[in-house]
Amino acid sequence: MVSVTRSVFGELPSGAGTVEKFRLQSDLLRVDIISWGCTITALEVKDRQGRASDVVLGFAELAGYLQKQPYFGAVVGRVANRIAKGTFTLDGKEYKLAINNGPNSLHGGLRGFDKVLWTPQVLPNGVQFSRVSPDGEEDYPGELKVWVTYTLDGGELVVNYRAQASQTTPVNLTNHSYFNLAGQGSPNIYDHEVTIEADAFLPVDETLIPTGNSSGCFPAAASLPAFLTSIDLNVVWLIPRVHHAGSGRVLEVYTTQPGVQFYTGNFLDGTLKGKSGAIYPKHSGFCLETQNWPDAINQPHFPPVLLRPGEEYDHTTWFRFSVA
Ligand code: BGC
């Protein structure tokens, strides 16, 4: 049994609209999602004693999400991750995107899908957000209709992404939640054990663009400090599992996507004021961003990233919580 409640989260400046919050609750999970960026603002998960804690980083108020911040909880698009030098060629035409991360384009550009208001629709067990990304938005080709659907099923949060294009365009959608299974606001994630049954990971250059090769030697299971210098790379064909022994909480991620960006919050620096007075220092949260491989538009041997008119982009990710 899932309940869905709807409330006002905040008003955008200059009368640009009302951001609503949708609370989805099952016996095991409670998740809050707002219509700004389809952003997960809170996710309460029980520990082995049945005590619930909020396990995602974020802000109590809308202003937190409108400031410069690293995509807390948001849906990222039209193309998540990096496109080398913000450039690609499609049907003989060269496209130049805004450069917003070193020499590259990151997470959809200056005003990506995380920085727009979506249209919500309540479902019996969740909420669906939709929007039309206009032709030329952030310099991407063609109009793109997008639907992001969050549903709860017991201990599982399911996110489905669908899109249809009027012109051939790259599409790569993900959710950028930062988790800390000890409870958000805990100082780091060093007491989490991460198991990744991956075929390979994608080595990157100094600007975090895949070199085009893949490497099979990702550690199969490790306590984070054992291999944590700072991780920010894409692992491919896998089921990540994260266990926090102190609380017993376990997160497993299943997906139809070909890869997952495993990011350990290396660029968090303790300057953001989060929920309940949290400050989010380096390594205080981790992301498991299910997605296509970075820079796939420029690396033809990577999984296909182009969506053509008449086709449908349709991907699903399951965040499964349990205790052990
Ligand atoms: C990237 C990081 C980036 C972070 C926040 C992640 O998806 O892999 O390099 O710093 O997003 O922008």
Side-chain angles (χ1 to χ4, degrees):
M1 191 46 204
V2 174
S3 68
V4 184
T5 51
R6 180 173 192 163
S7 59
V8 170
F9 188 68
E11 295 295 333
L12 290 169
S14 322
T18 301
V19 175
E20 290 185 276
K21 181 175 93 175
F22 298 83
R23 172 164 289 181
L24 283 41
Q25 179 142 20
S26 71
D27 294 344
L28 299 170
L29 297 180
R30 187 170 95 181
V31 58
D32 290 346
I33 308 160
I34 59 171
S35 52
W36 180 256
C38 307
T39 302
I40 296 175
T41 59
L43 176 53
E44 292 206 353
V45 183
K46 291 179 180 155
D47 67 7
R48 68 165 81 78
Q49 264 87 43
R51 288 175 308 215
S53 292
D54 182 0
V55 299
V56 291
L57 282 52
F59 305 101
E61 286 171 7
L62 180 59
Y65 291 98
L66 302 180
Q67 70 186 324
K68 190 169 158 28
Q69 51 92 9
Y71 307 89
F72 280 2
V75 162
V76 175
R78 185 178 298 200
V79 177
N81 217 309
R82 291 172 177 81
I83 293 179
K85 306 203 165 44
T87 304
F88 60 91
T89 302
L90 193 55
D91 296 334
K93 187 173 169 206
E94 187 176 67
Y95 290 86
K96 285 192 179 299
L97 311 172
I99 303 300
N100 61 345
N101 186 262
N104 303 318
S105 169
L106 177 69
H107 292 336
L110 301 177
R111 188 163 191 255
F113 289 6
D114 58 301
K115 297 181 186 67
V116 290
L117 191 59
W118 292 65
T119 303
Q121 192 194 338
V122 171
L123 306 175
N125 56 347
V127 59
Q128 178 171 79
F129 299 99
S130 60
R131 78 177 289 261
V132 179
S133 167
D135 183 9
E137 185 175 43
E138 290 295 322
D139 298 317
Y140 283 101
E143 183 183 277
L144 189 73
K145 293 192 176 118
V146 192
W147 297 264
V148 176
T149 308
Y150 291 93
T151 50
L152 275 193
D153 181 8
E156 217 164 65
L157 172 63
V158 187
V159 194
N160 172 256
Y161 306 87
R162 282 196 304 124
Q164 293 166 359
S166 69
Q167 234 181 283
T168 303
T169 177
V171 180
N172 186 21
L173 304 174
T174 192
N175 177 280
H176 207 297
S177 288
Y178 290 69
F179 299 96
N180 188 318
L181 298 183
Q184 73 88 28
S186 303
N188 59 55
I189 48 171
Y190 301 151
D191 53 357
H192 290 51
E193 185 176 273
V194 181
T195 310
I196 299 190
E197 287 173 34
D199 283 352
F201 74 93
L202 303 176
V204 288
D205 68 15
E206 64 290 347
T207 74
L208 299 176
I209 296 289
T211 57
N213 306 314
S214 63
S215 167
C217 43
F218 195 80
S223 194
L224 266 178
F227 64 100
L228 184 74
T229 38
S230 272
I231 296 175
D232 195 354
L233 46 75
N234 206 278
V235 286
V236 302
W237 309 118
L238 70 145
I239 304 169
R241 178 179 191 271
V242 185
H243 179 221
H244 179 251
S247 65
R249 289 190 188 94
V250 176
L251 167 59
E252 288 162 302
V253 182
Y254 298 83
T255 186
T256 58
Q257 294 272 17
V260 172
Q261 186 81 7
F262 178 38
Y263 170 58
T264 54
N266 319 325
F267 298 113
L268 295 173
D269 62 5
T271 54
L272 293 166
K273 299 246 174 312
K275 291 176 281 188
S276 311
I279 54 161
Y280 307 138
K282 182 171 178 175
H283 299 155
S284 56
F286 66 90
C287 303
L288 287 167
E289 306 156 44
T290 56
Q291 57 185 259
N292 204 324
W293 301 4
D295 199 35
I297 184 73
N298 290 313
Q299 309 217 21
H301 58 298
F302 281 9
V305 70
L306 291 178
L307 180 69
R308 295 184 170 79
E311 296 176 348
E312 184 157 87
Y313 178 96
D314 187 350
H315 278 289
T316 303
T317 294
W318 295 262
F319 294 99
R320 182 179 297 171
F321 292 91
S322 57
V323 288

